[in-house]
Amino acid sequence: MKRFVSLLALTFCLTVGMAQTYKMVVRVNNGTEMGFPDGKIAIPVNDISEVTFEEIAEEVIPEVWTSITFQFKDYSSATRSPMRKAPALETRRYGVFGCKNGEPLSQDNLSANLMNNQEVTFVGDRWEYFPIKYWPPKEEGSNYASFFAYSPYSDGNSFVSVNSASSEPVIEYNSVNPMDDAGDLLYGSKINATKNDNNGCVTIDSKHALARLNLKAVAAWDIDANTRITIKSIKISGQIPNKGSFDLYRQQWKNLSTDVQTYTLEGDNLAADLRDAGNTFAANQPEGVTSNSKSIGVSPYLLIPTDGEKTITITVDYFITTDDAKLSTGYSRIENVIAKSLKLSLNAGYSYDLQIILGLTSLKCDVSANSSWENYNINL
């Protein structure tokens, strides 16, 4: 009695590598080749002379395209809180340069060929941009991309601009009066990222490209109850750059201006409790300068860092008002205008406290620096 074999599958896949499809062919003893085009067939086992597999076509499995998404965060280190200013960051707009590159990234293969000053904004609960870009296909040596970001995004505002003809991630910064329209400049980068990193989301830590200078005042002696020391104006003058280029790849300033600049703190830019109230009694003046250190301005200066140590001159115009019933006016006022020069180097991302010690006829200056901007309001 002959034995039979039932063949139910006409064609099946034998996967070799990733995308090869084969069909089964049975050759019987009489030389007939059967490819089993359809239906179910039974062949006596004794009649089967050979079973082979033939390639019928290459099945191409398309690669799943992954969109490039972004997440911007505050700079995280031992002295900075990574999320403290996150809500403020979400009110900002970023400009992003994307470079499709091999690994490792270098100046030779650096080109904004994926994104060129792409605006990215926070909408709803995520960072969005248009048109959507996708991660480079997975090819040997070409599936890496690097991203360079800055904020605020350049849309013709007063202090940030981008050369649209350039393919390099470089921005131009021009200072305006740092007390009237100061613009904090943030930057960050992600080098040699792939779509496998965080599901294609590029996380960029935002750092400060400018230096922050906070002026403070303290009295050199104990002030009695009948006396007030109030400030009319403070000027800062020196070789402080008012424009330059910031290279997002190298993360450094270049082409800094060398002109002497003068910035004046006066009027509403002075702290209300230090601002001189004019010719009036000491009792009508604000508390003024005391033995406790106070910030002079309503907000700090935001300045382009200096290229090394520079000579900075501080000029303070202040009044000492004393109530005295024996005087015909009921009070006396002495105006002092005193200047002091000092050497100062401003570095990117650092906050400096320049404390002015006011005396009766003299002033001194102390400077302290801190790499942390913990108490800085990023919306200034």
Side-chain angles (χ1 to χ4, degrees):
M1 182 175 181
K2 289 188 177 181
R3 292 175 297 163
F4 292 83
V5 59
S6 295
L7 302 176
L8 301 179
L10 305 183
T11 304
F12 66 95
C13 292
L14 175 65
T15 302
V16 178
M18 287 298 294
Q20 291 174 299
T21 303
Y22 295 84
K23 69 176 181 179
M24 184 175 70
V25 177
V26 176
R27 291 180 176 83
V28 296
N29 289 330
N30 62 9
T32 302
E33 183 177 279
M34 306 184 68
F36 306 133
D38 52 50
K40 183 171 71 173
I41 190 169
I43 304 174
V45 174
N46 293 340
D47 290 341
I48 298 175
S49 63
E50 182 181 3
V51 177
T52 62
F53 297 92
E54 293 182 358
E55 184 176 357
I56 57 173
E58 181 178 356
E59 180 184 0
V60 178
I61 301 177
E63 181 177 353
V64 177
W65 289 88
T66 303
S67 61
I68 299 172
T69 58
F70 292 97
Q71 175 68 33
F72 296 96
K73 297 171 60 178
D74 185 32
Y75 180 56
S76 175
S77 72
T79 57
R80 300 191 187 188
S81 169
M83 295 306 294
R84 178 172 296 184
K85 293 183 277 291
L89 289 182
E90 292 169 0
T91 66
R92 285 178 162 265
R93 294 183 297 164
Y94 281 80
V96 177
F97 298 88
C99 304
K100 178 183 174 183
N101 59 272
E103 185 188 17
L105 181 70
S106 69
Q107 191 68 35
D108 294 335
N109 61 11
L110 181 65
S111 176
N113 50 14
L114 188 59
M115 296 178 176
N116 192 353
N117 194 31
Q118 173 67 58
E119 180 183 7
V120 182
T121 58
F122 195 80
V123 180
D125 61 351
R126 64 177 61 87
W127 293 93
E128 295 185 355
Y129 64 95
F130 184 82
I132 299 297
K133 298 297 179 68
Y134 295 87
W135 286 97
K138 189 175 181 181
E139 300 170 359
E140 186 66 29
S142 66
N143 60 322
Y144 293 93
S146 295
F147 300 90
F148 307 90
Y150 72 94
S151 180
Y153 170 73
S154 174
D155 58 356
N157 61 50
S158 58
F159 48 88
V160 180
S161 62
V162 174
N163 182 359
S164 59
S166 174
S167 62
E168 295 185 359
V170 176
I171 61 174
E172 306 293 330
Y173 186 93
N174 289 273
S175 291
V176 292
N177 188 321
M179 294 308 303
D180 290 337
D181 192 20
D184 186 23
L185 179 60
L186 302 182
Y187 73 96
S189 63
K190 186 72 172 180
I191 307 297
N192 291 335
T194 72
K195 72 175 184 180
N196 297 324
D197 301 334
N198 196 24
N199 296 319
C201 181
V202 179
T203 300
I204 295 179
D205 290 332
S206 299
K207 306 176 186 179
H208 297 279
L210 300 176
R212 184 181 77 156
L213 181 62
N214 186 30
L215 300 181
K216 295 185 174 183
V218 65
W221 77 99
D222 291 332
I223 309 300
D224 63 55
N226 295 319
T227 300
R228 296 289 187 271
I229 302 175
T230 51
I231 297 175
K232 179 181 179 181
S233 68
I234 290 185
K235 293 182 179 180
I236 299 179
S237 181
Q239 200 177 73
I240 304 171
N242 71 329
K243 58 183 176 182
S245 302
F246 189 76
D247 189 325
L248 296 169
Y249 171 65
R250 294 186 176 89
Q251 300 188 3
Q252 60 183 285
W253 289 92
K254 60 182 182 180
N255 304 324
L256 297 177
S257 62
T258 57
D259 298 335
V260 172
Q261 304 296 322
T262 299
Y263 299 119
T264 303
L265 261 175
E266 60 185 356
D268 291 341
N269 284 327
L270 288 169
D273 61 341
L274 298 180
R275 190 186 311 152
D276 184 71
N279 292 319
T280 185
F281 292 93
N284 295 333
Q285 296 285 349
E287 183 183 33
V289 181
T290 67
S291 56
N292 296 319
S293 179
K294 296 181 179 181
S295 291
I296 298 174
V298 295
S299 59
Y301 282 106
L302 295 177
L303 301 170
I304 296 176
T306 59
D307 183 13
E309 195 174 68
K310 304 297 180 182
T311 298
I312 307 296
T313 300
I314 308 295
T315 304
V316 184
D317 188 343
Y318 66 104
F319 289 91
I320 301 174
T321 305
T322 303
D323 288 343
D324 187 346
K326 295 181 180 180
L327 298 176
S328 59
T329 58
Y331 64 89
S332 66
R333 273 169 66 83
I334 300 173
E335 181 177 9
N336 288 332
V337 180
I338 304 176
K340 175 75 173 181
S341 294
L342 66 154
K343 298 287 187 179
L344 186 61
S345 177
L346 300 175
N347 297 313
Y350 275 71
S351 179
Y352 297 83
D353 285 338
L354 196 162
Q355 180 152 274
I356 300 169
I357 305 170
L358 288 175
L360 289 171
T361 58
S362 65
L363 64 85
K364 297 179 181 180
C365 295
D366 290 334
V367 181
S368 60
N370 195 324
S371 62
S372 170
W373 281 24
E374 286 292 331
N375 298 320
Y376 175 57
N377 182 352
I378 204 168
N379 283 322
L380 289 176

